[in-house]
Amino acid sequence: MRIRLNAGHGAGKEHNRGGVLFNEGDNNFHYSLVLKAELETYENVKVDLVRNKITDNPSLAQRAKMGQGYDLYLAIHSNAASDSSVRGTEVWDSVERPNKQLAQLLCDTTAIFFNHRNRGVKYKEGKTGYNWYGELRFNQAKSSMIIENGFHTNREDSLIFRDKQKELAVVQARTIASFYNLKKKAIKEDKPHWAQKHYDSLKAKGMEIQETRFDDKITRGEVFALLDRITNYKEVK
Ligand SMILES: [Zn+2]
């Protein structure tokens, strides 16, 4: 499956958005990298970013276009309120292509992780039948939604969204994976190559070999050299 992560806003102070501990646009970008890496620990997932560099800041319409060809388009944000005590997670699901089940799962697991208020899944219409939010409007991804990971105007939410990114990514990636039935990639064992024992055996017999690129092709010249060495070879006792 293909996922597009859209880190909201752009880089620097211009995109602070009222953040008490970070500029929202910077923090969204950092988190998108962490979430991408975590999602890619699952099989058959390809994750692309809207912002490949922190300074990238495409328009909302351009961002929405980048959903084309994706199964899931997730816009990463944090929320703002004039009252700095307000905390909570909410998810804005697409009016045009709703996926309430996934939106609800993400909202629930994220609110539990932050240990704050679950503000629920919401829909906002502009023109009838169309999303009010530019990132979701005309977005052709099969599912698209915006997640507000706590309030950057609140200190506790900000501390978590800034300092617990890996842990949050594990929770959100696991939620997405369970919805799409994705399996965790097997961790590769350090098994020796099947040819290693033959290499070791030849070395033990005193054969002069240095080559250990076991899966590389052999050239005709190397075959001749090898045959010559074998036919001249006398086992050392
Ligand atoms: Zn935002």
Side-chain angles (χ1 to χ4, degrees):
M1 75 170 296
R2 297 180 75 199
I3 300 174
R4 177 77 88 177
L5 295 179
N6 170 24
H9 315 289
K13 276 212 167 90
E14 271 178 77
H15 300 274
N16 172 272
R17 318 282 302 177
V20 290
L21 294 181
F22 51 72
N23 301 317
E24 191 203 335
D26 294 338
N27 197 61
N28 291 338
F29 175 78
H30 297 310
Y31 183 62
S32 71
L33 302 182
V34 178
L35 183 55
K36 173 179 158 66
E38 189 55 36
L39 284 165
E40 287 177 341
T41 66
Y42 290 85
E43 281 176 7
N44 306 316
V45 187
K46 171 91 171 73
V47 182
D48 292 307
L49 303 170
V50 162
R51 287 166 68 196
N52 288 292
K53 297 194 305 276
I54 195 166
T55 48
D56 289 347
N57 185 19
S59 71
L60 294 178
Q62 282 172 320
R63 288 175 192 249
K65 269 196 190 132
M66 294 169 92
Q68 178 92 48
Y70 287 81
D71 299 288
L72 174 64
Y73 178 102
L74 182 63
I76 297 164
H77 285 265
S78 47
N79 219 333
S82 50
D83 177 351
S84 68
S85 72
V86 175
R87 300 184 64 194
T89 290
E90 64 198 32
V91 175
W92 294 91
D93 189 19
S94 173
V95 170
E96 293 155 50
R97 298 177 164 216
N99 186 348
K100 176 91 193 262
Q101 201 190 340
L102 177 60
Q104 190 70 60
L105 282 170
L106 270 175
C107 197
D108 293 350
T109 55
T110 302
I112 289 166
F113 174 79
F114 273 86
N115 193 23
H116 64 191
R117 193 169 150 223
N118 187 335
R119 296 165 59 96
V121 176
K122 302 176 178 184
Y123 295 89
K124 192 165 181 178
E125 235 177 27
K127 273 191 193 154
T128 309
Y130 292 96
N131 287 293
W132 184 83
Y133 287 110
E135 288 158 306
L136 303 182
R137 199 181 313 130
F138 311 133
N139 194 314
Q140 294 298 302
K142 282 187 195 146
S143 299
S144 58
M145 56 193 71
I146 297 168
I147 186 158
E148 300 279 7
N149 297 285
F151 281 74
H152 52 249
T153 44
N154 173 270
R155 196 181 150 77
E156 288 157 284
D157 277 5
S158 299
L159 279 170
I160 294 169
F161 194 29
R162 185 190 67 181
D163 299 341
K164 301 271 183 225
Q165 295 199 341
K166 164 77 185 179
E167 294 88 339
L168 177 61
V170 167
V171 167
Q172 292 186 338
R174 197 194 294 139
T175 304
I176 291 167
S178 75
F179 180 82
Y180 290 102
N181 280 317
L182 305 173
K183 290 189 177 62
K184 200 83 168 160
K185 278 180 191 162
I187 296 160
K188 277 189 194 138
E189 287 176 64
D190 278 336
K191 267 210 293 198
H193 195 278
W194 62 267
Q196 185 69 42
K197 62 176 184 286
H198 301 295
Y199 173 87
D200 292 343
S201 163
L202 286 168
K203 285 280 259 198
K205 288 175 192 163
M207 188 104 177
E208 279 182 45
I209 44 169
Q210 275 98 41
E211 193 51 77
T212 55
R213 291 171 300 156
F214 294 132
D215 293 311
D216 278 9
K217 286 185 180 125
I218 189 162
T219 66
R220 283 156 187 261
E222 285 165 339
V223 171
F224 297 148
L226 183 66
L227 288 171
D228 187 41
R229 264 150 73 190
I230 291 169
T231 50
N232 290 325
Y233 167 70
K234 288 194 193 80
E235 195 164 333
V236 186
K237 287 276 172 188

